Amino acid sequence: MSNGMDFDSESQITLTRTIDANVSDVFSAWTDPALIEQWQADEAELDPFEGGEYKFTTFGDDEDPEEHVVSGEILKFVEDEKLVMSWVHKDEEEDDDLIFVLEVEFKPVGEDQTRVTLTERGLAHTDPESRIFSMEAWSAALEHLAEVME
């Protein structure tokens, strides 16, 4: 996939997690709004096809009262194999959008396990704090997904 930008390893994070569930169920957890709302967002809208759009909203809480909205387009949709999405996070404080490309690959490991490899690319990851924050956030999200699936 080409989006006109070249990203070096400083501009991306990659995480891999094996989940105790079959590949179809894990893929559905990323593409079915009702399932997305169980592990990733409080409200989810998603058109599950290439060119479709999505919007995920996470409500604020006592620790972080601000509502967070991520939206974008499905750039690639290969059922049970790969999902590539533009990932646009609206930053109300900075009046700026943080733009990433999120690529998620799904590989069956036997019948009841799936290896998920998540790669997030974006210029915002050129500073160490951003990289660490994203790695911790995605690590927690994948942990929550694993708990929901298992």
Side-chain angles (χ1 to χ4, degrees):
M1 182 197 77
S2 175
N3 61 1
M5 295 183 186
D6 294 319
F7 295 107
D8 60 19
S9 61
E10 294 295 313
S11 301
Q12 75 178 37
I13 60 168
T14 301
L15 296 157
T16 301
R17 168 82 192 228
T18 300
I19 296 176
D20 290 333
N22 73 56
V23 72
S24 290
D25 290 343
V26 176
F27 188 82
S28 291
W30 281 85
T31 57
D32 179 334
L35 296 175
I36 293 166
E37 290 173 356
Q38 292 181 29
W39 70 276
Q40 189 174 24
D42 294 315
E43 285 183 353
E45 301 169 26
L46 186 136
D47 300 321
F49 53 84
E50 205 161 298
E53 296 182 348
Y54 74 91
K55 179 179 174 184
F56 300 157
T57 304
T58 303
F59 303 134
D61 57 22
D62 291 340
E63 193 175 301
D64 181 9
E66 195 173 309
E67 185 175 274
H68 296 277
V69 177
V70 178
S71 61
E73 181 181 347
I74 308 294
L75 304 173
K76 187 166 191 170
F77 186 98
V78 181
E79 192 161 347
D80 297 345
E81 291 180 27
K82 184 181 268 192
L83 186 61
V84 181
M85 312 160 80
S86 62
W87 192 261
V88 182
H89 181 266
K90 303 279 185 205
D91 191 334
E92 301 295 329
E93 289 178 12
E94 307 250 339
D95 207 23
D96 238 350
D97 293 344
L98 298 175
I99 302 170
F100 302 95
V101 172
L102 182 69
E103 180 175 313
V104 188
E105 293 183 316
F106 305 85
K107 299 274 187 214
V109 181
E111 286 188 30
D112 294 321
Q113 287 189 318
T114 303
R115 185 171 50 247
V116 176
T117 302
L118 179 146
T119 303
E120 185 180 75
R121 297 177 182 86
L123 294 176
H125 286 318
T126 55
D127 72 271
E129 293 81 19
S130 168
R131 289 169 53 81
I132 291 167
F133 175 80
S134 279
M135 289 175 75
E136 289 175 348
W138 279 117
S139 210
L142 290 173
E143 179 67 28
H144 195 193
L145 172 63
E147 290 169 4
V148 167
M149 299 304 297
E150 298 169 0

